Amino acid sequence: MDDNEFQTVGLYDHNVNSYRKVKIAYESVEQRVCIVKATGTGKTYIGLQLAYDNKDKKNNICSSI
């Protein structure tokens, strides 16, 4: 991981793998993805980083409470 690659939101190392998998899915044919992780592991931060990195696209982040 490049030290500056995820500075915008500040992804932790354990979220970088999930971020990259979602990015790969979007670059293929997938239009929707779901990140399933335990509570408090940073799913929202992954979504925010994806939204920031894809400002030119529509993004929808849903979470359950």
Side-chain angles (χ1 to χ4, degrees), residues 18-59:
S18 297
Y19 172 89
R20 289 187 176 143
K21 285 181 179 181
V22 170
K23 192 173 175 184
I24 288 169
Y26 279 150
E27 290 170 353
S28 67
V29 297
E30 297 300 328
Q31 294 181 0
R32 296 181 185 121
V33 297
C34 180
I35 301 169
V36 180
K37 293 182 128 195
T39 301
T41 57
K43 297 177 294 291
T44 301
Y45 287 99
I46 296 170
L48 290 172
Q49 186 69 56
L50 285 162
Y52 182 83
D53 292 344
N54 295 283
K55 292 182 234 177
D56 59 326
K57 298 179 177 123
K58 292 181 181 180
N59 293 284

Side-chain angles (χ1 to χ4, degrees), residues 1 5-6 11-21:
M1 169 174 74
E5 188 175 5
F6 300 109
L11 291 184
Y12 289 117
D13 290 338
H14 66 270
N15 286 324
V16 171
N17 188 39
S18 297
Y19 172 89
R20 289 187 176 143
K21 285 181 179 181

